[in-house]
Amino acid sequence: MPRPVVKEITFTLDGREITAPEGMILVDAAGKYGDTEIPVFCYEPKLGQPVGACRMCLVEIEGIPKLQTGCSTPIRDGMVVHTQTQRVHDAQRAVVEFLLINHPLDCPVCDKGGECPLQDITYGWGPGTSRFIEPKRHFKKPLELSPLIAIDRERCILCYRCVRYSQEVAEDYQLVLQQRGAASYVSTFDGHPYVAPFSGNIIELCPVGALTSRAYRFRARPWDIEGAGTVCAGCTAQCNVELTVRDERVLRVLSRDHSEVDDGWLCDKGRFSYQAVHAEERITQPLVREGAELHPASWEKAIEAAAAALKKAGDRAAALAGGTTTNEEAFLLSGLLRDKLGSSHLATGVGGEQPLDVVRALADPKLQATVPDLEFAHTVLLVDCDPIDEAPVWDLRIRKGVRRHGTKLVVASARPTALDQNAAATLRFAPGGAEGFLVALDAALSGDAGNLGGAASAAGTNATAIQEFADALRAGGEEVVIVYGDRALRGSAGRALLNIASRLNLANVANAGLLELPSTPNGRGLREVGFAAGHGPGFSTISAPGHGAEAIASGLASGDLHTVWLHHVDPLRNYPNRPAWEKALGTAQTVIAVESQLTDTVREYADVVFPAEAYPEKEGTITHPDGRVQRLRQAIGHPRAASDVPGSGVRALWQVISDVARELGHSAGTAIAGAVVSKRVFEAVPFYNGMTLDGIGGRGLRWQEHATFEVEQSDPFVLAVPASLPAKGESELRLGTFRPLWAHKDVDLSPALQFIRAKQVVELSKADADARGIGEGDRVEIGNGTRIPGTARIRAAIPAGSVFVAEGIAEHNANVLTHGIVEVHRVGPGSTDATSIPIQSTPAVEGRAEMPPSAGLPIPPREVT
Amino acid sequence: MPYDPGDDVVVIHQPREGAASGTFRAFAATLKGLKMTFSRAVEGTTTIGYPEEKTPVYPRFRGRHKLHRFEDTGLEKCVGCSLCAAACPADCIRVVAAENTPENRVSAGERYAAVYEINLSRCIFCGYCEIACPFDAITLGHDYEMADYNRSDLIFTKEMLLAEPLERTPLRTPDE
């Protein structure tokens, strides 16, 4: 969809001629082009249409007798605006006086005090005195709006921002304004806690201290803290964040609005899981296994042990990387294995790797869509992925496109997605049928009726549905963005995807293309710097390709591989087929793990453990799925070890890998500073050439805009119909897995997020549930041989015959189920455990129960020098 | 070129050599000085015998800080708002706030100062903290005797600041 074309117009602001784009809202135009600040409370362009609720932005416009709200008036050619007349000043003072009538004067105890727009505007535009001597409105305070958010209704100025956010941006429709007039207050409709994936954004939106973070409650005042800009490495979306730091501790995460990446929103996982950085459970010094036990060891000893194991392993060494691995770490580690040890057994994704020509073709800059394209495209196609779980802010981006720009969303997935309600067309295929679907869609687009039927039935759907879906995909317009999860790319799926892209002519349409959702946060960067079995830095060919993840597991189990380095990866939790990995790690001669906590992998299998850095401690670069190289900046120092001997605590991981390389005599893989490694990465990857850390800066650089990457163009591939899915019996169900947003080890360690920790749920269709006598919330068991317990959730949108369970969670993880066909049994009625979901059932006019006290404050000892 | 001072040179004429001037210098000038000395000696001492005796201070003298409690409830007046730390030009105040609970009510407001430290080795006794405090919780007292053997002992904690201070320093009476 073409982005709006802007026409420049001229208007008069306080006697000056200002040129600005036509249709721009007056307060924006005055601020950006006229250098005149018009105070606002309720206006926030990110929330969509202005409402003009607070009346703070009144201005005088010639030709209109009454004062007008600047936040809802678009500028027109020849408009004459006055913002500094006595009439305007009187109106502004009156509005501030009115707003402060019921606002308590508790700024000294308010968390917003010092960074509060109401304070600032009162100082700047307020009357200075109040004539109001009557008692103020009183509410019980503070109240728990959710376990993460405290609401203080006395402070609320009824600007509607939070309500509009909930209704129009997050679309969870939970927050509403109850009552009328002076009795109005913000609440959820039925008094339930406001629990949603994006609820934390209202804390930042609130222009007063009415909505505050419970985790940050009373932790610091604005003059006690420092802001440190970095990038959240919690998921693929890589939102730009600003960390609030006090006494070397991260206390809060704020959004650092970047319209090309996150549009200024954060998910609650990114906003609150910073608490894991300072968790007691963190490993802060190297551990080495002696006998059966892991013991704290010196860095020298651990590096020696790791180097000795790698030396013994030679080309039988393997490495897995994921999580917050930076490009620099991946580059050094892959260089160490490939150049020194001669091994290319490097794996990042949970699935297999596509052939090199497909990988290269998918990285074609011409085919690359960007995040803003999700908002402005004619059609967005989701292929077997749910952005809310894997890159949450993309979910908001797509919602915005559908709501405000008329983007058409079409969803093809096995599991119903959170975006289905906004979709113009949805297609359900069987779990594991993504490859069949892509081949069938390619056939439908090319009119290959022969392939269409076969591939459609291989995907567990039918040719008519695929054909209708293909028509819906084409009908919207030529700008199509295809979002695909990298776990959909199995077998010929990559070629099918390229075929679809060429049939839709995406390479030659601007603002259209493919957008991958890698399964690890820096999946794209790891691949581009050469951490892959099949190619070197910049997708260069290598002489001896190595094994992918599954082959590494079987190689370790059979003894073909000797040692494995797990870099921010926990295969027992995050990779499919846990039994195979248990066998592999048990058989492996040496397991070197870089990990931040004592996971099962570390406790049972690791021989050498290097403490992992948390992302606020990292320095380096990561690459966004649309090719934007972004910088991680160090915000806090590395934690010290328990022994407190200087130098014994956590070290930068580039330094650890460099030290291991030095121990192995690999001088090319050593470095004296993180920036040196970054420079080396920029030199080694052809399309990163010319980048500098300064050039990347705080906003990142998309390499596609600065570099070229030539891909051999080929004709559409001829595809075979993929093998059909294994047959299932009458009483059996096809197993699909999904990774909930909350399935992350940092969530498990964050006290604030305990209430929402991912637990096992078994999602099944109404028909299947009825056939088994299962009701919503019942306890069920699922499996085939191995069984795991879970709570049943019945979803109407799931087609009969499929069942979905959560993977990547701490307990009862789906990856112990190795069969694609499972049975589900009811075990008992649902638990009445109040901790499962916090529900408060007694809404009162002034709110609910009094807020329970927040967790104890860990006060760091002050160092006396 | 050698420096030529020109007309700026003032020639000093010394007293002439001789018996009369020599006698004057030896006795008369010395006696002149001693006259002043002895005349002061009968006036008595003006120094005081510190530390046995202390200088009284004015009521608005700014000495060591005190934190206050409400007299009726015994709750701390300080709510940990950290405004004193913001006002402090020497950056010597550190406040870490925490939340009052029904079981553990420390101050009258929603929050209280879990940590309140003043580094008196850095403090310049400007009194801005007292001015900034919205609850009159901190005032500067009259005690100026704060010498210690350790720098770290000069970091006063909340307990030390809340404790009833020793009235070691006499207050100047209005007629003094």
PDB file of all heavy atoms in Angstrom, chain A residues 568-582:
ATOM      1  N   HIS A 568      24.657 -20.181  25.262  1.00  0.00           N
ATOM      2  CA  HIS A 568      23.328 -19.623  25.558  1.00  0.00           C
ATOM      3  C   HIS A 568      22.213 -20.546  25.056  1.00  0.00           C
ATOM      4  O   HIS A 568      21.152 -20.062  24.667  1.00  0.00           O
ATOM      5  CB  HIS A 568      23.140 -18.262  24.885  1.00  0.00           C
ATOM      6  CG  HIS A 568      23.844 -17.129  25.546  1.00  0.00           C
ATOM      7  ND1 HIS A 568      23.612 -16.775  26.850  1.00  0.00           N
ATOM      8  CD2 HIS A 568      24.767 -16.260  25.081  1.00  0.00           C
ATOM      9  CE1 HIS A 568      24.362 -15.727  27.150  1.00  0.00           C
ATOM     10  NE2 HIS A 568      25.087 -15.390  26.109  1.00  0.00           N
ATOM     11  N   VAL A 569      22.476 -21.829  25.036  1.00  0.00           N
ATOM     12  CA  VAL A 569      21.486 -22.754  24.511  1.00  0.00           C
ATOM     13  C   VAL A 569      21.229 -23.825  25.556  1.00  0.00           C
ATOM     14  O   VAL A 569      22.155 -24.293  26.204  1.00  0.00           O
ATOM     15  CB  VAL A 569      22.005 -23.419  23.216  1.00  0.00           C
ATOM     16  CG1 VAL A 569      21.178 -24.632  22.888  1.00  0.00           C
ATOM     17  CG2 VAL A 569      21.956 -22.456  22.066  1.00  0.00           C
ATOM     18  N   ASP A 570      19.982 -24.157  25.720  1.00  0.00           N
ATOM     19  CA  ASP A 570      19.635 -25.251  26.612  1.00  0.00           C
ATOM     20  C   ASP A 570      18.844 -26.262  25.793  1.00  0.00           C
ATOM     21  O   ASP A 570      17.627 -26.162  25.681  1.00  0.00           O
ATOM     22  CB  ASP A 570      18.798 -24.706  27.776  1.00  0.00           C
ATOM     23  CG  ASP A 570      18.473 -25.789  28.778  1.00  0.00           C
ATOM     24  OD1 ASP A 570      18.899 -26.929  28.564  1.00  0.00           O
ATOM     25  OD2 ASP A 570      17.791 -25.484  29.769  1.00  0.00           O
ATOM     26  N   PRO A 571      19.520 -27.232  25.187  1.00  0.00           N
ATOM     27  CA  PRO A 571      18.782 -28.124  24.277  1.00  0.00           C
ATOM     28  C   PRO A 571      17.715 -28.947  24.982  1.00  0.00           C
ATOM     29  O   PRO A 571      16.712 -29.301  24.373  1.00  0.00           O
ATOM     30  CB  PRO A 571      19.869 -29.033  23.687  1.00  0.00           C
ATOM     31  CG  PRO A 571      21.083 -28.805  24.477  1.00  0.00           C
ATOM     32  CD  PRO A 571      20.953 -27.536  25.237  1.00  0.00           C
ATOM     33  N   LEU A 572      17.913 -29.236  26.256  1.00  0.00           N
ATOM     34  CA  LEU A 572      16.904 -30.037  26.950  1.00  0.00           C
ATOM     35  C   LEU A 572      15.604 -29.262  27.102  1.00  0.00           C
ATOM     36  O   LEU A 572      14.547 -29.847  27.289  1.00  0.00           O
ATOM     37  CB  LEU A 572      17.398 -30.453  28.336  1.00  0.00           C
ATOM     38  CG  LEU A 572      18.633 -31.349  28.373  1.00  0.00           C
ATOM     39  CD1 LEU A 572      18.835 -31.888  29.765  1.00  0.00           C
ATOM     40  CD2 LEU A 572      18.496 -32.497  27.389  1.00  0.00           C
ATOM     41  N   ARG A 573      15.690 -27.968  27.041  1.00  0.00           N
ATOM     42  CA  ARG A 573      14.475 -27.178  27.203  1.00  0.00           C
ATOM     43  C   ARG A 573      13.947 -26.658  25.875  1.00  0.00           C
ATOM     44  O   ARG A 573      12.751 -26.621  25.647  1.00  0.00           O
ATOM     45  CB  ARG A 573      14.761 -26.005  28.139  1.00  0.00           C
ATOM     46  CG  ARG A 573      13.575 -25.094  28.313  1.00  0.00           C
ATOM     47  CD  ARG A 573      13.709 -24.223  29.521  1.00  0.00           C
ATOM     48  NE  ARG A 573      12.543 -23.356  29.630  1.00  0.00           N
ATOM     49  CZ  ARG A 573      12.339 -22.496  30.596  1.00  0.00           C
ATOM     50  NH1 ARG A 573      13.220 -22.390  31.561  1.00  0.00           N
ATOM     51  NH2 ARG A 573      11.264 -21.738  30.624  1.00  0.00           N
ATOM     52  N   ASN A 574      14.850 -26.224  25.022  1.00  0.00           N
ATOM     53  CA  ASN A 574      14.394 -25.478  23.861  1.00  0.00           C
ATOM     54  C   ASN A 574      14.458 -26.233  22.540  1.00  0.00           C
ATOM     55  O   ASN A 574      13.995 -25.729  21.536  1.00  0.00           O
ATOM     56  CB  ASN A 574      15.210 -24.186  23.732  1.00  0.00           C
ATOM     57  CG  ASN A 574      14.882 -23.222  24.846  1.00  0.00           C
ATOM     58  OD1 ASN A 574      13.749 -23.177  25.308  1.00  0.00           O
ATOM     59  ND2 ASN A 574      15.859 -22.481  25.311  1.00  0.00           N
ATOM     60  N   TYR A 575      15.060 -27.402  22.541  1.00  0.00           N
ATOM     61  CA  TYR A 575      15.121 -28.154  21.298  1.00  0.00           C
ATOM     62  C   TYR A 575      14.109 -29.288  21.352  1.00  0.00           C
ATOM     63  O   TYR A 575      13.818 -29.813  22.416  1.00  0.00           O
ATOM     64  CB  TYR A 575      16.537 -28.709  21.074  1.00  0.00           C
ATOM     65  CG  TYR A 575      17.491 -27.685  20.497  1.00  0.00           C
ATOM     66  CD1 TYR A 575      17.605 -26.428  21.074  1.00  0.00           C
ATOM     67  CD2 TYR A 575      18.260 -27.965  19.376  1.00  0.00           C
ATOM     68  CE1 TYR A 575      18.461 -25.486  20.554  1.00  0.00           C
ATOM     69  CE2 TYR A 575      19.123 -27.016  18.851  1.00  0.00           C
ATOM     70  CZ  TYR A 575      19.220 -25.782  19.446  1.00  0.00           C
ATOM     71  OH  TYR A 575      20.064 -24.844  18.923  1.00  0.00           O
ATOM     72  N   PRO A 576      13.584 -29.690  20.189  1.00  0.00           N
ATOM     73  CA  PRO A 576      12.667 -30.815  20.190  1.00  0.00           C
ATOM     74  C   PRO A 576      13.404 -32.101  20.584  1.00  0.00           C
ATOM     75  O   PRO A 576      14.627 -32.175  20.487  1.00  0.00           O
ATOM     76  CB  PRO A 576      12.144 -30.880  18.761  1.00  0.00           C
ATOM     77  CG  PRO A 576      12.879 -29.882  17.986  1.00  0.00           C
ATOM     78  CD  PRO A 576      13.805 -29.129  18.863  1.00  0.00           C
ATOM     79  N   ASN A 577      12.643 -33.064  20.995  1.00  0.00           N
ATOM     80  CA  ASN A 577      13.176 -34.396  21.270  1.00  0.00           C
ATOM     81  C   ASN A 577      14.172 -34.387  22.424  1.00  0.00           C
ATOM     82  O   ASN A 577      15.358 -34.656  22.278  1.00  0.00           O
ATOM     83  CB  ASN A 577      13.831 -34.970  20.008  1.00  0.00           C
ATOM     84  CG  ASN A 577      13.885 -36.480  20.080  1.00  0.00           C
ATOM     85  OD1 ASN A 577      13.682 -37.064  21.146  1.00  0.00           O
ATOM     86  ND2 ASN A 577      14.141 -37.101  18.949  1.00  0.00           N
ATOM     87  N   ARG A 578      13.656 -34.135  23.595  1.00  0.00           N
ATOM     88  CA  ARG A 578      14.507 -34.113  24.787  1.00  0.00           C
ATOM     89  C   ARG A 578      15.199 -35.458  25.057  1.00  0.00           C
ATOM     90  O   ARG A 578      16.387 -35.479  25.402  1.00  0.00           O
ATOM     91  CB  ARG A 578      13.660 -33.705  25.999  1.00  0.00           C
ATOM     92  CG  ARG A 578      14.446 -33.692  27.284  1.00  0.00           C
ATOM     93  CD  ARG A 578      13.632 -33.105  28.418  1.00  0.00           C
ATOM     94  NE  ARG A 578      14.349 -33.362  29.673  1.00  0.00           N
ATOM     95  CZ  ARG A 578      14.545 -32.448  30.609  1.00  0.00           C
ATOM     96  NH1 ARG A 578      14.086 -31.238  30.451  1.00  0.00           N
ATOM     97  NH2 ARG A 578      15.192 -32.742  31.708  1.00  0.00           N
ATOM     98  N   PRO A 579      14.513 -36.596  24.896  1.00  0.00           N
ATOM     99  CA  PRO A 579      15.221 -37.856  25.171  1.00  0.00           C
ATOM    100  C   PRO A 579      16.492 -38.000  24.336  1.00  0.00           C
ATOM    101  O   PRO A 579      17.531 -38.439  24.835  1.00  0.00           O
ATOM    102  CB  PRO A 579      14.194 -38.923  24.815  1.00  0.00           C
ATOM    103  CG  PRO A 579      12.883 -38.256  24.960  1.00  0.00           C
ATOM    104  CD  PRO A 579      13.098 -36.824  24.579  1.00  0.00           C
ATOM    105  N   ALA A 580      16.421 -37.606  23.050  1.00  0.00           N
ATOM    106  CA  ALA A 580      17.601 -37.730  22.198  1.00  0.00           C
ATOM    107  C   ALA A 580      18.725 -36.840  22.710  1.00  0.00           C
ATOM    108  O   ALA A 580      19.905 -37.229  22.708  1.00  0.00           O
ATOM    109  CB  ALA A 580      17.244 -37.353  20.762  1.00  0.00           C
ATOM    110  N   TRP A 581      18.401 -35.648  23.161  1.00  0.00           N
ATOM    111  CA  TRP A 581      19.435 -34.736  23.655  1.00  0.00           C
ATOM    112  C   TRP A 581      19.998 -35.202  24.979  1.00  0.00           C
ATOM    113  O   TRP A 581      21.166 -35.021  25.276  1.00  0.00           O
ATOM    114  CB  TRP A 581      18.888 -33.311  23.753  1.00  0.00           C
ATOM    115  CG  TRP A 581      18.968 -32.618  22.440  1.00  0.00           C
ATOM    116  CD1 TRP A 581      17.955 -32.373  21.585  1.00  0.00           C
ATOM    117  CD2 TRP A 581      20.150 -32.119  21.804  1.00  0.00           C
ATOM    118  NE1 TRP A 581      18.415 -31.749  20.459  1.00  0.00           N
ATOM    119  CE2 TRP A 581      19.760 -31.583  20.567  1.00  0.00           C
ATOM    120  CE3 TRP A 581      21.501 -32.092  22.150  1.00  0.00           C
ATOM    121  CZ2 TRP A 581      20.664 -31.011  19.675  1.00  0.00           C
ATOM    122  CZ3 TRP A 581      22.409 -31.516  21.276  1.00  0.00           C
ATOM    123  CH2 TRP A 581      21.984 -30.989  20.055  1.00  0.00           C
ATOM    124  N   GLU A 582      19.131 -35.808  25.827  1.00  0.00           N
ATOM    125  CA  GLU A 582      19.656 -36.347  27.085  1.00  0.00           C
ATOM    126  C   GLU A 582      20.690 -37.415  26.799  1.00  0.00           C
ATOM    127  O   GLU A 582      21.751 -37.464  27.418  1.00  0.00           O
ATOM    128  CB  GLU A 582      18.511 -36.925  27.920  1.00  0.00           C
ATOM    129  CG  GLU A 582      17.743 -35.845  28.667  1.00  0.00           C
ATOM    130  CD  GLU A 582      16.552 -36.384  29.418  1.00  0.00           C
ATOM    131  OE1 GLU A 582      16.131 -37.531  29.157  1.00  0.00           O
ATOM    132  OE2 GLU A 582      16.017 -35.631  30.245  1.00  0.00           O
TER     133      GLU A 582
END
